[in-house]
Amino acid sequence: RLEFARKYVTENFEFWKKVIFTDEKRWNLQGNDGYISVWTKNKYSYSRITATNLRKGLMVWGAISATGGVRLICVEEKINSEIYIGMLENDFFNNVEDILPDGFVFQQDNAPPHSAKATQDYLERKKIPLLEWPARSPDLSPIENIWGIMTKKVYSSGKTYENVNELWDAIVKAWFEIPVEVFTKLYESIPKRLVCVLEENGQRIKY
């Protein structure tokens, strides 16, 4: 993280606006991933309740730019390198070529499907320039903030969903409702994030 921050801290918005940030997120029918709270009569006695639909949901991959959401894809299968490459080839690069910024740079985290040799070979063959990304650094990626904004909308007031189609509609609606200005401001914050990483000696920052 420190090496990454030192390398890019002097880059301004003109550099970062060329970066396409990407990420996957799991969405559940009954609330976001995290802890589950239950009411009990007292702390010494409780019953375990099994909710079979509790963790049914969708895996969604997204890509953003400084001017808005670029692509949102629902991935129905468990993502491995083969699935990821097929998604990039058929559902991303072949559909967004005309809207990617000139000289764009592709960002992805270090999840196994992304770092696999087959994926790296594919991106090299496609001549896709990659932004080398530090491990465990979601706080540096603006798409994580976009997921957070969407989560608040999708699960507003404890909202739950009966099926994945209903959930997907809510996710798409939340995606398109985010103003362009939000994306731009998040991109503009990246240099400040890197300064914070240096100030905190590589520790996690509050973004």
Side-chain angles (χ1 to χ4, degrees):
R1 284 167 62 84
L2 280 172
E3 182 180 349
F4 180 84
R6 293 188 186 109
K7 182 176 181 178
Y8 291 104
V9 70
T10 58
E11 299 289 358
N12 59 22
F13 177 71
E14 293 303 310
F15 171 84
W16 292 108
K17 74 178 185 180
K18 295 181 180 180
V19 178
I20 301 299
F21 283 91
T22 72
D23 192 34
E24 293 98 356
K25 176 171 171 56
R26 171 78 183 179
W27 302 82
N28 300 309
L29 295 181
Q30 300 186 31
N32 195 33
D33 279 331
Y35 293 103
I36 303 171
S37 298
V38 296
W39 288 102
T40 64
K41 290 184 177 180
N42 61 66
K43 64 181 180 181
Y44 303 107
S45 175
Y46 64 91
S47 298
R48 176 173 292 181
I49 301 172
T50 303
T52 56
N53 285 334
L54 189 61
R55 285 296 174 250
K56 286 186 178 180
L58 300 170
M59 179 64 76
V60 174
W61 181 90
I64 67 170
S65 74
T67 57
V70 176
R71 191 75 168 164
L72 195 67
I73 300 172
C74 178
V75 186
E76 296 182 358
E77 303 174 79
K78 183 178 180 179
I79 299 178
N80 56 27
S81 180
E82 182 180 359
I83 297 299
Y84 184 59
I85 292 170
M87 182 199 71
L88 291 180
E89 178 69 16
N90 301 315
D91 298 316
F92 184 66
F93 290 120
N94 287 347
N95 288 283
V96 300
E97 185 176 357
D98 295 336
I99 62 175
L100 294 176
D102 293 337
F104 79 92
V105 178
F106 190 75
Q107 182 273 344
Q108 57 181 9
D109 63 23
N110 298 292
H114 307 164
S115 59
K117 187 178 186 302
T119 302
Q120 298 297 314
D121 290 345
Y122 163 77
L123 293 170
E124 186 175 345
R125 288 196 306 272
K126 292 281 289 186
K127 298 181 179 179
I128 304 298
L130 277 176
L131 180 67
E132 188 173 351
W133 194 248
R136 297 181 294 277
S137 296
D139 50 337
L140 302 184
S141 176
I143 195 171
E144 296 288 351
N145 302 102
I146 293 298
W147 292 143
I149 293 168
M150 291 172 62
T151 295
K152 289 181 180 179
K153 293 184 178 182
V154 171
Y155 299 115
S156 176
S157 301
K159 173 71 175 177
T160 61
Y161 298 89
E162 294 296 325
N163 54 66
V164 291
N165 290 330
E166 186 180 323
L167 175 60
W168 175 242
D169 287 344
I171 294 168
V172 172
K173 184 175 184 292
W175 174 263
F176 283 109
E177 283 181 347
I178 301 176
V180 170
E181 294 79 12
V182 171
F183 292 90
T184 303
K185 287 181 179 179
L186 288 172
Y187 268 70
E188 289 174 341
S189 75
I190 298 174
K192 296 178 183 177
R193 300 182 193 216
L194 298 180
V195 170
C196 289
V197 170
L198 294 176
E199 291 176 342
E200 297 297 327
N201 197 33
Q203 297 301 308
R204 187 176 179 88
I205 59 173
K206 296 180 179 180
Y207 268 91

